[in-house]
Amino acid sequence: MRCAACHSSIAEPASKVTAPLSPRTVPVNAATHSRNDVNQRCTRVHITAAALAVVAAIAVSNRAEASWGEATGDPGHFGFVLSTAAELGGDNLIDVVYRHGGTQHIKAGDGVTLAGGIHYRPVGFPVDFAATVGYKFIRTSSYDTDLGVDRVAIELTGTVPLGNHFWVTAGPVWHTSTKLNGDGYIQDVDFDDAVGGMVGFGWRWVGVRYTNIKYRGPFPGSVDASSGGVTFAWKF
């Protein structure tokens, strides 16, 4: 893939960003300069996702213990879904190299997702169907930049109980409004809408998942945006 949209801009060379197969390096005026700062920022992203999971757990803690946190729904019940996920994977989109040696790689599938939607499990049919709309995003560790990737993630899933509160889930996913935000350091890149598939496995409200999807944009070929990660979901 050749991202022809990525060109140089003038800024202090405190750190630099490169795009895969780009003809040049792009300097970035970054407030973050060390490997420790990079690690701390990435850690905060994952802590944010975990904190949202705890808030959701508190919100539903008044449910009966027998049904608290179930991901497979109750037969004949129509309700709401809250979920969050932290995922990694895919092709490299941005390489950020900081002044004192810290490096951050932003891949097409990286990001934290916040989502909500509805679900329904038909009576006599062991599948809980859900439709959710979420916002998935990733940023660099530089506090004074908005360099990163944004997208809207729409999912239609079916979750099947396996017994003892375990479950499997699968369904199509649709990523739209996907954008590499260059924040003035590189040119923005708008990707086409993309459709892929997701499979997951879990216990009660926590699970793991893998999404297979590819992005296309204003360049030859495609970008692999597949990812794997941890999910938290509650159904009311």
Side-chain angles (χ1 to χ4, degrees), residues 113-162:
T113 304
L114 310 175
I118 57 176
H119 75 104
Y120 177 72
R121 178 175 172 180
V123 176
F125 193 66
V127 179
D128 187 71
F129 296 98
T132 60
V133 178
Y135 170 56
K136 183 174 181 178
F137 65 96
I138 184 69
R139 292 290 182 271
T140 70
S141 299
S142 300
Y143 297 102
D144 58 347
T145 75
D146 202 26
L147 193 65
V149 184
D150 301 272
R151 76 220 80 182
V152 174
I154 300 172
E155 300 184 2
L156 301 175
T157 58
T159 303
V160 180
L162 300 178

Side-chain angles (χ1 to χ4, degrees), residues 44-59:
R44 279 193 289 273
V45 170
H46 291 90
I47 289 176
T48 299
L52 289 169
V54 172
V55 170
I58 294 173

